Amino acid sequence: MFSERSRASLRPNVLARALSERQAKGDRILDLTLSNPTRAELPSDVLAPTDPFAGVAVQSYDPEPLGHIDARRAIAEHWPGTVLVDPACVTLTAGTSEAYSYLFKLLCDPGDEILVPHPGYPLLDHLARVEGVRLVGYPLRYDGAWFIDCDALRTRITRRARAIVVVNPNNPTGNYLKRSELTAIEALGLPLVSDEVFSAYPLVSDPTRVMTVLSSGAPLSFALGGLSKLVALPQMKVSWLAVAGHPDHVKEALSRLELISDTYLSVATPTQQALP
């Protein structure tokens, strides 16, 4: 279910074990490898006392790969719809484009395939290309309303298929995912990636509409959102992805996402502190 390139050993090495043992004893440690200037007790006059970013919380750098827990908790509490989201299953990213890139790394090795709706958003083509991933389109049909051709989707799946993307609501057609469509997609057994950046803005009431895939029966589901569309703040550059599914799959996905996120640490501390 996961890519080879996202596999890594998380066992502590000899140095990490020795450091942990001495920290447990309460020993004072002088770390000559320290590269975080906010922990090196260096004097800083970059920010004036009256600067809105002058607070202690934003002047310190304490990176959490998946994001600061207060920010992740705020996202979970405000998730559209009635689904309960575990903050521990939320990962912060600097934009949904980055969220897609994380998921392509997590699920695909070069040459693997992701199924995407057609017509769809052209940016996915560029994101997939730079990740070495091949997009396979599945058709949306129109019979007075747009819908997923689930039979055609099924025929597009090959041995290289790694996930199915739904954009809910789709861009540019505007159709929301229906419960019957979600049931058909779940039966295919692939991870499901749902771009839900516009999901909070339905035009009309529809009991057949799926607001989020996080309560789906897919083995693994990812739902994407962000400030850009939710509250019209694209300049803040904060987005997120939430994970749901079989507990073993979720645990493995989060472990690998932590490693991927730790490679970039792209979400700025001030925006995380401001998120709640």
Side-chain angles (χ1 to χ4, degrees), residues 128-175:
R129 187 177 301 114
V130 298
E131 292 293 341
V133 174
R134 179 171 178 262
L135 297 187
V136 177
Y138 63 85
L140 304 181
R141 310 290 190 193
Y142 187 79
D143 63 355
W146 289 96
F147 65 96
I148 297 173
D149 187 336
C150 293
D151 291 333
L153 168 59
R154 189 177 300 105
T155 67
R156 303 295 200 275
I157 296 174
T158 71
R159 63 180 182 84
R160 298 299 299 267
R162 295 295 178 263
I164 298 170
V165 169
V166 295
V167 183
N168 187 35
N170 188 61
N171 183 355
T173 60
N175 59 296

Side-chain angles (χ1 to χ4, degrees), residues 6-253:
S6 67
R7 184 191 304 275
S9 173
L10 300 180
R11 289 180 297 178
N13 60 22
V14 173
L15 178 59
R17 290 197 299 270
L19 178 62
S20 179
E21 290 170 2
R22 282 157 179 76
Q23 288 174 330
K25 294 176 181 178
D27 293 348
R28 184 177 181 273
I29 298 169
L30 178 62
D31 185 357
L32 298 181
T33 71
L34 182 67
S35 61
N36 182 345
T38 70
R39 290 189 177 179
E41 301 180 12
L42 298 175
S44 174
D45 57 0
V46 175
L47 298 176
T50 57
D51 194 293
F53 289 124
V56 174
V58 298
Q59 291 207 60
S60 62
Y61 182 53
D62 187 17
E64 293 288 341
L66 299 181
H68 288 211
I69 189 60
D70 287 345
R72 295 156 67 195
R73 187 177 293 114
I75 291 165
E77 290 174 353
H78 290 84
W79 203 274
T82 59
V83 64
L84 295 178
V85 178
D86 184 352
C89 294
V90 175
T91 300
L92 297 186
T93 64
T96 50
S97 293
E98 186 173 69
Y100 275 114
S101 74
Y102 282 11
L103 294 178
F104 290 164
K105 292 177 176 69
L106 173 72
L107 300 171
C108 300
D109 289 307
D112 284 341
E113 299 172 351
I114 298 284
L115 292 108
V116 298
H118 183 76
Y121 192 44
L123 179 61
L124 290 179
D125 296 332
H126 301 288
L127 294 173
R129 187 177 301 114
V130 298
E131 292 293 341
V133 174
R134 179 171 178 262
L135 297 187
V136 177
Y138 63 85
L140 304 181
R141 310 290 190 193
Y142 187 79
D143 63 355
W146 289 96
F147 65 96
I148 297 173
D149 187 336
C150 293
D151 291 333
L153 168 59
R154 189 177 300 105
T155 67
R156 303 295 200 275
I157 296 174
T158 71
R159 63 180 182 84
R160 298 299 299 267
R162 295 295 178 263
I164 298 170
V165 169
V166 295
V167 183
N168 187 35
N170 188 61
N171 183 355
T173 60
N175 59 296
Y176 275 83
L177 183 67
K178 304 295 186 184
R179 297 189 184 281
S180 59
E181 295 170 333
L182 179 57
T183 298
I185 292 172
E186 291 170 352
L188 300 176
L190 287 173
L192 179 59
V193 177
S194 179
D195 187 332
E196 300 175 356
V197 295
F198 284 114
S199 69
Y201 300 112
L203 292 178
V204 296
S205 177
D206 181 358
T208 69
R209 176 189 298 122
V210 174
M211 293 297 292
T212 179
V213 301
L214 292 182
S215 58
S216 79
L220 197 57
S221 296
F222 303 92
L224 280 56
L227 292 185
S228 177
K229 308 303 187 296
L230 187 62
V231 289
L233 289 175
Q235 69 274 29
M236 293 296 101
K237 300 305 294 182
V238 177
S239 294
W240 48 82
L241 64 91
V243 189
H246 188 280
D248 290 342
H249 296 330
V250 171
K251 181 179 179 181
E252 181 71 14

